[in-house]
Amino acid sequence: MKEECGVVGVLLDDTKSQSKTAALQIYYSLYALQHRGQESTGITVYNGGSTHSLKGMGLVPEVYAREDIVKLVGHVGIGHVRYSTTGQSRIENCQPLIVNYKSGTVAIAHNGNLINGHDLRDELESEGRIFITDSDTEVVAHLLVKELLKHGAVESIKNVMKRLKGSYSLAIMIDDLLIAARDPLGIKPLCIGKTDLGLVVASESVAIDTLNGKLIRDVKPGEIVVLKDGEVESHQVYNTTHAAHCVFEYIYFARPDSVIDGQLVYKVRERIGRELAKEHSVEADIISPVPDSGITSAVGYSRESKIQYQEGLMKNRYIGRTFILPGQEMREIAVRLKMNTIAENIEDKKVVLIDDSVVRGTTSRRIINMIKDSGAREVHARIGSPAIIAPCYMGIDMATREELIAANNKVENICNTINADSLGYLSIDGLVRAIGLDKEDLCMGCLTEVYPLEIPGEKCQCRQTRLNQF
Amino acid sequence: MKEECGVVGVLLDDTKSQSKTAALQIYYSLYALQHRGQESTGITVYNGGSTHSLKGMGLVPEVYAREDIVKLVGHVGIGHVRYSTTGQSRIENCQPLIVNYKSGTVAIAHNGNLINGHDLRDELESEGRIFITDSDTEVVAHLLVKELLKHGAVESIKNVMKRLKGSYSLAIMIDDLLIAARDPLGIKPLCIGKTDLGLVVASESVAIDTLNGKLIRDVKPGEIVVLKDGEVESHQVYNTTHAAHCVFEYIYFARPDSVIDGQLVYKVRERIGRELAKEHSVEADIISPVPDSGITSAVGYSRESKIQYQEGLMKNRYIGRTFILPGQEMREIAVRLKMNTIAENIEDKKVVLIDDSVVRGTTSRRIINMIKDSGAREVHARIGSPAIIAPCYMGIDMATREELIAANNKVENICNTINADSLGYLSIDGLVRAIGLDKEDLCMGCLTEVYPLEIPGEKCQCRQTRLNQF
Amino acid sequence: MKEECGVVGVLLDDTKSQSKTAALQIYYSLYALQHRGQESTGITVYNGGSTHSLKGMGLVPEVYAREDIVKLVGHVGIGHVRYSTTGQSRIENCQPLIVNYKSGTVAIAHNGNLINGHDLRDELESEGRIFITDSDTEVVAHLLVKELLKHGAVESIKNVMKRLKGSYSLAIMIDDLLIAARDPLGIKPLCIGKTDLGLVVASESVAIDTLNGKLIRDVKPGEIVVLKDGEVESHQVYNTTHAAHCVFEYIYFARPDSVIDGQLVYKVRERIGRELAKEHSVEADIISPVPDSGITSAVGYSRESKIQYQEGLMKNRYIGRTFILPGQEMREIAVRLKMNTIAENIEDKKVVLIDDSVVRGTTSRRIINMIKDSGAREVHARIGSPAIIAPCYMGIDMATREELIAANNKVENICNTINADSLGYLSIDGLVRAIGLDKEDLCMGCLTEVYPLEIPGEKCQCRQTRLNQF
Amino acid sequence: MKEECGVVGVLLDDTKSQSKTAALQIYYSLYALQHRGQESTGITVYNGGSTHSLKGMGLVPEVYAREDIVKLVGHVGIGHVRYSTTGQSRIENCQPLIVNYKSGTVAIAHNGNLINGHDLRDELESEGRIFITDSDTEVVAHLLVKELLKHGAVESIKNVMKRLKGSYSLAIMIDDLLIAARDPLGIKPLCIGKTDLGLVVASESVAIDTLNGKLIRDVKPGEIVVLKDGEVESHQVYNTTHAAHCVFEYIYFARPDSVIDGQLVYKVRERIGRELAKEHSVEADIISPVPDSGITSAVGYSRESKIQYQEGLMKNRYIGRTFILPGQEMREIAVRLKMNTIAENIEDKKVVLIDDSVVRGTTSRRIINMIKDSGAREVHARIGSPAIIAPCYMGIDMATREELIAANNKVENICNTINADSLGYLSIDGLVRAIGLDKEDLCMGCLTEVYPLEIPGEKCQCRQTRLNQF
Ligand SMILES: Nc1ncnc2c1ncn2[C@@H]1O[C@H](COP(=O)(O)OP(=O)(O)O)[C@@H](O)[C@H]1O
Ligand SMILES: Nc1ncnc2c1ncn2[C@@H]1O[C@H](COP(=O)(O)OP(=O)(O)O)[C@@H](O)[C@H]1O
Ligand SMILES: Nc1ncnc2c1ncn2[C@@H]1O[C@H](COP(=O)(O)OP(=O)(O)O)[C@@H](O)[C@H]1O
Ligand SMILES: Nc1ncnc2c1ncn2[C@@H]1O[C@H](COP(=O)(O)OP(=O)(O)O)[C@@H](O)[C@H]1O
Ligand code: SF4
Ligand code: SF4
Ligand code: SF4
Ligand code: SF4
Ligand SMILES: [Mg+2]
Ligand SMILES: [Mg+2]
Ligand SMILES: [Mg+2]
Ligand SMILES: [Mg+2]
């Protein structure tokens, strides 16, 4: 599973001081959002008269040299980390996207995926427009600039939002104006915070924490927020009866210490574990997580079931970097390099193994085999999400329907395939309870095959969103 | 003085073979054109279905790994080397520029400068269009794609050419169609050649030589050539009474072994030396060049004057790379690192020192001082071009009028400033004779302050160019 | 605290096959040992006739390209990861050290520190010998080669071991002979394993696990093992009444999934937590670890105390790389970048905070302040080791006596300094119980100021080691 | 043909100033010596208390960042550029070699090759000594340090020189003492100069020129010079009846603007051309060099023969870097990438083609074929050296006897092989006259098969060298 991006925007209160270290604040924030994208990163700032950028392929500490950050003077700016869903690792695709237009410069950092991105691109191409990158972001830039010729910034973004279908959390800088916007269903997270030095918007609240700031609130679905003179000005473009927050942010993507749409991810995961224990109890000796994503749920399962929490697998902390290694043999040894059993903890034990989700089943099978090779008597797989039976169209590159093991197999089959002694998925209702939001406010398209947006060939339970009058 | 770019396009006869090594041919060609740009380079090829590129900052051997070239399969492609005139060394500005539009992909490699580039950009921006790079090339791309929606490739390029004012030699690839075009005055060079494997267009004929090919002819001013099925199809867009070939290609930019618009650069430089000897003869012991650009003219001067050719300066062959070294002190020692006197050859000698041109005069003064410190009795500077008294608007970053020593000083003053015992510039007529083309077919704007195109605030002796009917 | 190194040696059974992929096995092993050194790494293999190496600064995946590993053909080899204790990051210091001598080549990978390294260096220098690196390894190489001129490999290493005082775990390759040796007190870990392809020695058993092998046993203190023809040949050089295994391998350095001298590190840490709970019980709401090193002990403390385990801190998984960022401000924000509080989990709570050790106290203070800022009512620090009151002379760069907070302060003072509500260190006896080995077999020099080896100016309770007769 | 190295040493007069920019002086010098080695480079300086170095693979501007040079504070230092003869491109082999020994630090930069290097290495290895690099320099370091334990610096170097057979020009820094030494036959060049800031020793005088200094004199064969307090102290270790200066320094290696052992290389090459014209006159239209090495001789040949000098080949100035490109096809196109004909200059012409030497004949054949393809009527090859019939044992990697075309073929055969219409080599006596030194003071081993030193299996006309009494 691959998450697309993390975005951040920073506006310093002091627009006059010499230092104007918006870039440094953005840099620290991107560190905190690194888990949302490790392929490329960029920072763009505006300093009174002009826009300057740093960009590159790789991790935050690899791309930015301290000297360069220090030279990137400006009191306002935006930043981005990116995880390619397409595999097209091109420097041209690295964000923020900066475009010059009639009246100045627009910089855009985008997290999400447009369902009608292709159509909009076609439409724009029909006007004779050209595209230099592969990204939806360039589509947004075209639409936005067209509006900016006729309207003010907020009006323009509003008009653009009318055209977009899909998920988007945007940090936009129009010259020195910092604006954030979130799609009408609030699919991807976006929140606002306050630090000693000014205001910040970010994909996750951990970015605000890192700056020693306070989370003010989430950007609302369908809302545009303008950060100006230390104030947060709100424009509710859409009124939405129900949101469609992506459940996988809670299940897997977000950092456990982030608070998204009012819910602490850590707590959600703990409750997922408790729900799972209630739904699929089993007599066992120990509860073991697949680290890191299974840890918190395993703690919850243990607490609910009163069965002892005991780590049976240890994750290599340096393995994050192996994605750069190609080769057949590598893939075979990959699981073993990434994960090791703690044999003594599992020998002769009945193990409940907790993971967040199962996509293709290959990794689960390898892990369970490793555990059995290390002497476990039984392995009972418990999955902190319902079965993934359909693809995501809102920006998550899970797999095709052909590849998704649960799209094509019953639970018993999957259980056999992954070599488990029993297998239990969390129920939809259990998940909803664990998240703690109204079921109608969640996207669960990949779990139910019912999407919150119209997607050709798929069922849809559309949310009622109504454009506000201004 | 900085030259902007070199372009190349290659079309293999065999469009079906597995190898399809257009990229390799382009790569070799770019080696031969490296002197036209050392800042960045790119190659784009088309392989039946799609377009692929390699790009990077630096020299040709630094940017392209052999493996990568080999993987860049395609039977047609274009390439580029670039020398920034603006100092904006951004990877985004690296060419070819590749844009996606309604019906496919357009790749453009451009050498030249648009006088109305800014106006066209304004006009396009007024339509709500956006710009991601700083380059004129993106302007051309916008105009071209607008036309391509309504017209065929040739018609489209013709219509674009009607809008462009300035110098341009273009290699354009529209999907698999390779097209070259040259501005109506033929300011920048562009020629066509044939190799064992197919056809090639290039900024200079040395690229064709390197591929062991034969120069067919120059692209004519105002001509579009389509390379198709091994044939060269010509479309004369403009009929031009007189061209305006840049004289500095002969004086300085081009490689001596290139043939440009029918004239071998080496021979031109040799004749420059002879003319100079006739116009500014002097009694002396030796004729010495400022290497490398003065060498051929010095040989010509020596032959005409019957005074012995003797090298008094030796150039460090590795110094080309020092441009990466910043710092005050460096600039002071720069001349000495770049050039050394051969004291024994100049001691007690009256030296005629030949260089191609004088821009600011600083380097000339340092060199002459070095020669005098090494014991020369007299140094008579002879310059293979008339005095540069005005800027170039067609793509050459010479200097501003304030910086140009000859724009603000008489010859005697300059002679004093550079510490020479006498100073002789080649006359305009001498230069014309040396080049061997009709005076009316040359651009000498920077030497005469009369330009071949209308430029706000400058005198113009415009060429009559008439659009052809098709 | 900085650990010096990880070593590995691999001998394939099939010495004849074409593939001879010892390098690949070493490469995977070094991945598993990466936590023991991130500064530089090297691999050396022997292929019938000659010795070849790859080396470089940085992490394992950064230094080795797959192609290069594949080309490094050989059936036997050794590898190394290094963490500089001296701050001298020079490529020359990168191991294995390869030396040519009269009869061939010796390659050495070394983990440990010689107490008499300086004296031996002086002695060797007095003979007119020269040193190219700063390392003890070069000292060992000199001594070994001197012996090899007169004796066989085992005899030679035996004679060298007679000269060395300090800690050392060595993987040595003399041409194609793979030998491992461990100091008479077994201070640093070293173990032997068997894989499908052959034999392996490594600093930690996780390297063997990663190769899907089985741990055979530890190399014994004072033992030389020769790996030959698939057999492990043992030579007990020293008979030791008591070993002196470094307790900090269990407390902090080693991976929790490693088994060292018969004890699973994970279990030791869990018992440390239990002991700590017994010794320093406190009424509290939650038990929280300082991740990652405090996690396992916190689980143990929770189980013993029956107080709920709840994570209050989240560690940024990508921060490992920030050590490359210099600068004042960085250090201040460093803790916040590395660690974030999960406010909801700790608000209004009495928190027992478990960490492995306290060196200077600075980091502890910053973390406790963060936790209190996030609303914790009380923070009770519990440390999984006795107070560190003296430096280590056996290879661990802890700090000087001046810097060690516990060397100069009473517990109350420390408690105040770090802003905790109470502070409890594990007792010496508790630690010994947790480790599960005889107290007399442990080194606890830095905790007791009594060292297992004679060190000028320090107290010593020397172990009785007796040289074996052969 | 590959030259091994360039060395430099700098001692500033002002040993106290804050700046202490010996490193910067060395850096500039290495630029000037870059033609003597492009594989790796290093600088070592001493600053009152300790020795610091910068080293790396690649060209001078690639290895040294300006900041690093500035930080390398010291008033005395040595530097090196290296061209591997062995193909072993290892960072370990990069010089200066810095060794620590009993009383301090010795740094050595070495140009040359020891004939008894292998024997000395064996001898040292028999003492149990170890070698970390492949270089003769480490042999010298061992011998020197052995002496330094018993004797002063000069006495020690004297004693070392008694042991060395072969060519060596050494810059040695023993703590802050800068010493240069040259082998008793003065095979490799080494000279002394004075700048505004202090003293300098260097392989070629161009390094001194670059620092705006004055050449004082060459280091004499068998001489040790100590640079101290701004003075040059001489110790003549050996009295030599006759030197054996390598003739190929004049013919090919050295920069034309260098003065070596009293002779300006440029003048030597010009006289070589004149001698060649006298010995092998031919009726022809033009004299053309193979650039760059043939240029000066072609000028001389033209002047003597009164036949016009006309360039028929143009060299690509950027091709120096292609050595990094491997691959079959590359080698075939290599000559064409490196060299282009100026067809117009040679069409229908009888061409005398001047090159410095012929090794294998392959390149000559390719060049002559290119010239004929471009329309030359006849090509008469004239070579500025006698035929190379034997290998060099003093540090130049020419080729094996099997590969040397002239070792196995008569002149007519060679002429046929390279496809020339006639072929003339310079005579031994002609070369001696051109150089202008006593025949007995030259090494011409590779031309005559009689070497100035005893080499097993080769004839020797040994020079009488007598050790001085001190
Ligand atoms: N692969 C691994 N998985 C889990 N823990 C590990 C791993 N490798 C090392 N460790 C443990 O991590 C701890 C050090 O990590 P941590 O406490 O996060 O860093 P530090 O305190 O040095 O900043 C050590 O106790 C070590 O045993
Ligand atoms: N800075 C320099 N300027 C001119 N010639 C140089 C310089 N440095 C080295 N040379 C000369 O260049 C010659 C080698 O160049 P060239 O003949 O072009 O290369 P190749 O080694 O391929 O034959 C040598 O004779 C050397 O003396
Ligand atoms: N800084 C962090 N600390 C702890 N967990 C994190 C952090 N950042 C991301 N995560 C969590 O790590 C999990 C993914 O890690 P893991 O399961 O080890 O990787 P994988 O993608 O291979 O399954 C996600 O659930 C994410 O919430
Ligand atoms: N491959 C080449 N061989 C010889 N001359 C070249 C080559 N490429 C470019 N030149 C010539 O070199 C000259 C520029 O070199 P030079 O005078 O040394 O540099 P500059 O004056 O720009 O410092 C130009 O006149 C150009 O025609
Ligand atoms: S389909 Fe699944 S992954 Fe995609 S947004 Fe909805 S819940 Fe998230
Ligand atoms: S103005 Fe000068 S440099 Fe510019 S195109 Fe004309 S002649 Fe060339
Ligand atoms: S002194 Fe401490 S750190 Fe050092 S070896 Fe002994 S227990 Fe380990
Ligand atoms: S043998 Fe030839 S190349 Fe070697 S030193 Fe003598 S003259 Fe020079
Ligand atoms: Mg996971
Ligand atoms: Mg020039
Ligand atoms: Mg820790
Ligand atoms: Mg040559």
Side-chain angles (χ1 to χ4, degrees), chain A residues 6-11 26 44-46 51 76-80 95-99 101 105-111 136-145 147-148 152-161 164 168-183 190 200-202 219 223-228 237:
Chain A
V7 304
V8 67
V10 162
L11 172 70
I26 295 167
T44 303
V45 299
Y46 183 83
T51 293
V76 56
I78 62 177
H80 196 263
Q95 297 195 18
L97 178 72
I98 301 112
V99 305
Y101 77 111
T105 301
V106 170
I108 306 178
H110 177 214
N111 177 28
D136 283 347
T137 317
E138 200 176 355
V139 170
V140 175
H142 276 281
L143 295 174
L144 178 54
V145 163
E147 294 297 329
L148 283 171
V154 173
E155 183 83 2
S156 292
I157 294 176
K158 194 183 84 174
N159 290 341
V160 170
M161 284 171 70
L164 307 179
Y168 51 88
S169 284
L170 294 162
I172 299 175
M173 189 169 62
I174 303 174
D175 293 333
D176 62 349
L177 204 62
L178 179 57
I179 303 183
R182 199 172 172 198
D183 64 69
L190 193 64
V200 54
V201 291
V219 176
E223 186 190 18
I224 294 170
V225 298
V226 182
L227 306 191
K228 207 161 58 183
V237 177

Side-chain angles (χ1 to χ4, degrees), chain D residues 178-196:
Chain D
L178 179 58
I179 304 184
R182 199 172 172 196
D183 65 69
L185 301 178
I187 299 174
K188 299 277 104 194
L190 194 63
C191 62
I192 315 169
K194 184 145 192 43
T195 69
D196 289 351

Side-chain angles (χ1 to χ4, degrees), chain C residues 187 246-248 253 391-394 396 398 443-446 451:
Chain C
I187 300 174
C246 169
V247 294
F248 269 96
F253 301 131
C392 171
Y393 298 88
M394 271 72 81
I396 308 309
M398 289 172 148
C443 174
M444 295 191 286
C446 52
Y451 295 85

